[in-house]
């Protein structure tokens, strides 16, 4: 390193937009400095990790085979698939937050939302086609938390795609059996006298939690209220943010 | 045709094992609960999964279970905690042994 010439790997500030991480291991590196500072190691000593991990699980191979066959037979195009993925990636929990904020602000809307979720969200131009949207109100006595033990049922048209943890076997198996431990791992503590109702989304309903409205928000506009509604608070693994806008 | 159960009815989930696409979770089979509400009638997913028409429609009930009735202490939950799951009518039987203790 004493030649003064910068190594090919260059600076390791985390501007990694032009390559991915699979070509070297970042553990143990302090990456806020240039390798010219001479801490005397090279990446060649690291265990080799292949750049591309080949698909190996049965479900991966099945998906690729089915997709390639559908494209080859002209049933669907690669572009259509990609556009659909992008459309789904574009959906966000902000949509759900708007609905919650309006329910907090307008008692009449809240009543309609709790009575018939599908009809109420049509006001926002939203649909939950073929399924029943059920909005579950959390109160001082009742805290709902939603899980799909069988797969990953989730109100996707309202919240977008679910987070990976929601689809994990750990979340799906543990929440029905040790809900408070799972909630604690999310940093959420529910008082002992409050019923935690674990809602296992097993069939044709899709559940959206209406979290409790935070204190000290009287008179707030729906836009301001929506900022307190997090995705996790609409799943039930969290409560809404306090009026301050962040948790202390 | 009227629905078999109504809110408040004590029920037991059938303890049967059938092949195919079943939406009654294993951990609830044979467990006792109470009907909370009727979530409407739907085509039977067990039949839809194999390309059949799924008729006649089946009623989807929201059933509540006490944690102890499901796990018998083998879990970590609050005394007042419950599970609520959607169970199709053909997986439920009236719980003729239900006493007040059975209700969440």
């Amino acid at each position: 390193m004493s030649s003064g010439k910068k190594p090919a790997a260059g600076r390791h500030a985390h501007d990694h937009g032009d390559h991915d991480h699979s070509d070297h291991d970042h553990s143990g590196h302090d990456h806020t400095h240039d390798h010219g500072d001479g801490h005397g190691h090279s990446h060649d000593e690291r265990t080799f990790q292949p750049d591309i991990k080949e698909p190996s699980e049965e479900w991966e191979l099945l998906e690729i085979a089915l997709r390639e066959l559908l494209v080859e037979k002209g049933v669907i195009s690669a572009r259509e698939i990609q556009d659909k993925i992008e459309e789904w990636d574009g959906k966000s929990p902000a949509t759900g937050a708007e609905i919650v904020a309006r329910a907090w602000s307008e008692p009449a809307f809240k009543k309609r939302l709790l009575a018939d979720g599908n009809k109420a969200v049509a006001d926002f131009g939203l649909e939950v086609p073929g399924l029943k949207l059920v909005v579950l109100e959390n109160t001082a006595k009742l805290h709902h938390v939603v899980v799909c033990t069988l797969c990953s049922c989730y109100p996707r048209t309202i919240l977008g795609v679910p987070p990976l943890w929601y689809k994990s076997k750990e979340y799906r198996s543990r929440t029905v059996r040790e809900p408070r431990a799972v909630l604690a791992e999310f940093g959420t503590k529910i008082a002992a006298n409050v019923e935690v109702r674990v809602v296992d989304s097993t069939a044709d309903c899709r559940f959206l939690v209406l979290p409790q409205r935070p204190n000290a928000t009287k008179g707030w506009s729906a836009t301001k209220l929506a900022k307190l509604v997090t995705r996790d608070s609409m799943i039930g693994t969290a409560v809404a943010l306090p009026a301050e806008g962040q948790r202390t | 045709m009227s629905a078999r159960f109504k809110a408040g009815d004590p029920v037991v989930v059938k303890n049967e094992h059938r092949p195919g696409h079943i939406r009654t979770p294993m951990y609830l089979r044979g467990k006792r609960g109470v009907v909370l509400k009727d979530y409407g009638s739907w085509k039977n997913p067990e039949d839809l999964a194999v390309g059949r028409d799924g008729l006649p429609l089946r009623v989807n009930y929201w059933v509540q279970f006490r944690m102890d009735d499901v796990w018998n202490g083998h879990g970590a939950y609050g005394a007042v905690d419950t599970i609520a799951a959607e169970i199709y009518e053909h997986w439920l039987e009236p719980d003729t042994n239900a006493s007040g203790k059975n209700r969440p």
Side-chain angles (χ1 to χ4, degrees), chain A residues 3-14:
Chain A
S3 68
K5 184 178 159 192
K6 286 203 200 306
R11 286 188 57 86
H12 272 74
H14 271 248

Side-chain angles (χ1 to χ4, degrees), chain A residues 20-24 48-54:
Chain A
D20 70 15
H21 287 239
S22 58
D23 58 336
H24 53 264
F48 177 74
Q49 290 182 43
D51 282 341
I52 298 172
K53 182 179 169 294
E54 295 296 336

Side-chain angles (χ1 to χ4, degrees), chain A residues 57-130:
Chain A
E57 293 188 56
E58 189 189 327
W59 63 267
E60 288 178 291
L61 297 169
L62 184 62
E63 187 272 325
I64 292 166
L66 191 60
R67 171 168 39 84
E68 289 183 349
L69 197 56
L70 288 169
V71 170
E72 189 185 305
K73 288 187 177 290
V75 176
I76 195 166
S77 72
R79 184 68 261 158
E80 283 175 287
I81 293 170
Q82 210 49 44
D83 283 347
K84 187 56 76 173
I85 291 172
E86 214 179 328
E87 184 193 321
W88 277 102
D89 282 347
K91 295 190 201 292
S92 114
T95 305
E98 257 192 271
I99 295 167
V100 168
R102 186 167 168 208
W104 285 345
S105 322
E106 294 175 39
F109 177 74
K110 179 177 164 183
K111 198 168 166 201
R112 284 175 47 218
L113 186 66
L114 296 176
D116 187 332
N118 296 68
K119 282 211 182 103
V121 302
D123 282 11
F124 290 81
L126 296 165
E127 291 187 306
V128 187

Side-chain angles (χ1 to χ4, degrees), chain B residues 70-88:
Chain B
V70 177
W71 304 115
N72 199 25
H74 299 288
Y77 42 81
V80 297
D81 295 349
T82 59
I83 293 171
E86 305 160 73
I87 308 286
Y88 284 98

Side-chain angles (χ1 to χ4, degrees), chain A residues 130 132 134 136 150-151 153 176-180 194-200 202-205 207, chain B residues 23 25 27 36 39 42 60 62 64 67 71 74-78 80-86 88:
Chain A
K132 184 176 171 65
V134 175
L136 302 168
L150 295 175
C151 46
C153 299
V176 282
R177 180 179 238 154
E178 42 174 1
R180 290 175 188 261
V194 175
E195 176 189 339
V196 171
R197 181 179 292 176
V198 182
V199 178
D200 191 354
T202 49
D204 305 276
C205 295
F207 296 99
Chain B
R23 302 214 55 99
Y27 76 95
L36 287 176
Y39 273 143
W42 306 83
N60 177 12
W62 209 32
Q64 188 178 39
M67 284 293 203
W71 304 115
H74 299 288
Y77 42 81
V80 297
D81 295 349
T82 59
I83 293 171
E86 305 160 73
Y88 284 98

